Each structure stands twice: as structure tokens, then as C-alpha cells.
Amino acid sequence: MILTVTLNTALDITYRVPALVPHASHRVTDVAERPGGKGVNVARVLAALGHDTVVTGFAGGPTGAVLRDLLAPLGPVDALVPVAGNTRRTIAVADATTGDTTQLNEPGPAVTPEEWAAFLTSYAELLGDADAVALCGSLPPGIHVGAYGELIRRARAAGVPVLLDTSGEPLRRGIAARPDLVKPNADELAQLTGSREPLRAAHDARRRGAHAVVASLGADGMLAATPEGRWQAVPPARVKGNPTGAGDSAVAGLLSGLVERLPWPERLARAVALSAATVLAPAAGEFDTSTYADLLPRVEVTAHATAA
């Protein structure tokens, strides 16, 4: 079983408009609601790949109830911990003319010390059956900034490999707890290390405590710095569409490759192909299966022989 943690779950709402024009009224052509938050998206992709997956984190209020109802038929097992506050919504406005998406993210509900304690109890129990765990996304109000570091230490104590996908100070604190893998994008990696050169920044992140670092480079694919070597994986063609959730699909590819014990080049190829296939999907947590099947054997993975 693969466990994904989303402390700040969301109900994802996507509006599609012919063209997004500032200061204008818009007629929405389509509305979609889906369960969201980075770890929820990861779990949905993992389930589509055939992996047994459990989702934990927090959900509460009327929005949380809708999220759980929508999640129920999708595959991942719901182990979300109830909170008194109302789960947040994220609003994506997709522009049909440009293919661009504008994202509006609400703040999450405040989590009380009692709710955090209940989560820790559930998390410890779930780790007992987990082959790997992913810690994903932002922290809701009320959760201390070192929370991911605490969860990483508990996973390591249980002998469960852990992937961290967050940003800012939670990423900085989490890396110090020595996760097996971190997956920042280029901007997050630069903010962490101060370097805009991805390979140099990835090695810096490893020195800070991460066992392995995989950096998302957008249309340029992914770069990995690991104890076994360094690789860059590039998609065979640029894919135009909605990039929301592409990074989450990449995490699913990396996690599935980890539990299947695939070599790093195969993990990266899967992650890049899934990421690109998600750009053509209706929303985060989904991927276009025919695009994935077409791209996977054509992803170019290049090894770098020397270490920094």
C-alpha cells in the first residue's frame, strides 16, 4: 500500500471560459468539481496505475463532505481525519483561447492541537501497512512549520521510504529530517538553495539532508540527483494544455517506480510521461492514457557521468 498525506485537502473547481479577460464578465462553458490537494491527486493517479493507495490528512465541513463523496468511487481508500473547520476550495479558470489556467487557492481550515494529535495517531497506524509515503502540499493554519519534519522522522523510524513535495519553510525544515526523496520545481529549489542552476541546486539540497532530489523543470522535463547517479529526462514533444496537477502525476510516477524497484531512468521516464499526459487531461489527478502510452517509450533520459 502507498500512503499519501494531504494536510490541506481541497475541493477543486474548474471553470472553463472561451477567453479570460480582466475586468470583464464571463460566461462559463463548463464546471467540474473534483477532490483535490496534492496528495489526493497523487493517490488518484497511483490508483489508476493499479496501486493500492490510502489517502490521509484532514477534511471538514460541507466542502469536506463533498470532497469525500467525490473521492469514494475513484479508487484510493479514504482515511481522512475529520476537523471542525470547512475544507478549502481551489478555483481554476481555464482559458480556451490561450490554453492558460488561472488558479485561486483559498486558505485551509485551522487545525486544533487535538485534531493534530488524532491525525498523528492515525498516521502511525497507517505506516504499519505502508510500502511508501508521500507528504504533499501546503500546511493549513494551526499546523507547526516543522510538521513535515516530524512526519518524516516517524516514517523513517517505521522503516517506510518517504517522499516530500512542498515548498518554502516546510520544505527547508523537512529536508533536515532526511527524506528519501524530495521533488521541488525549479523555483522552489532556487528558493531553498539560492541557486538558479538546477543541477547545482539539487546537489545543495542533497547536502542539506535529502537522500535524492528530483527537480521538475516544466517543459524541459525532470532532473535527478541521487546516490546512484544523475539523470535528466525530457519529453519528446511539448504538450499544450492545463498544467495543473502535472507535478502531482510526476510524484505518482516516482512513487510507483520506487515501490516497484525500477531503475532511476525508468522512474524518471514514467514521471515525465505521466506529467505530460496530465496536461491533456480535464483536471489534476487524471492523465490521458493514450498520450501516456505514446510518450513513455519516447522520453529521452540522459545520464551525467560526473558528480558535483
Side-chain angles (χ1 to χ4, degrees), residues 231-261:
W231 295 268
Q232 183 162 355
V234 180
R238 290 179 180 266
V239 179
K240 185 176 181 180
N242 181 2
T244 305
D248 304 331
S249 292
V251 169
L254 294 170
L255 267 179
S256 61
L258 184 155
V259 299
E260 294 172 30
R261 302 182 183 277

Side-chain angles (χ1 to χ4, degrees), residues 87-98:
T87 294
R88 67 187 178 126
R89 299 169 299 175
T90 64
I91 311 297
V93 183
D95 184 323
T97 300
T98 64

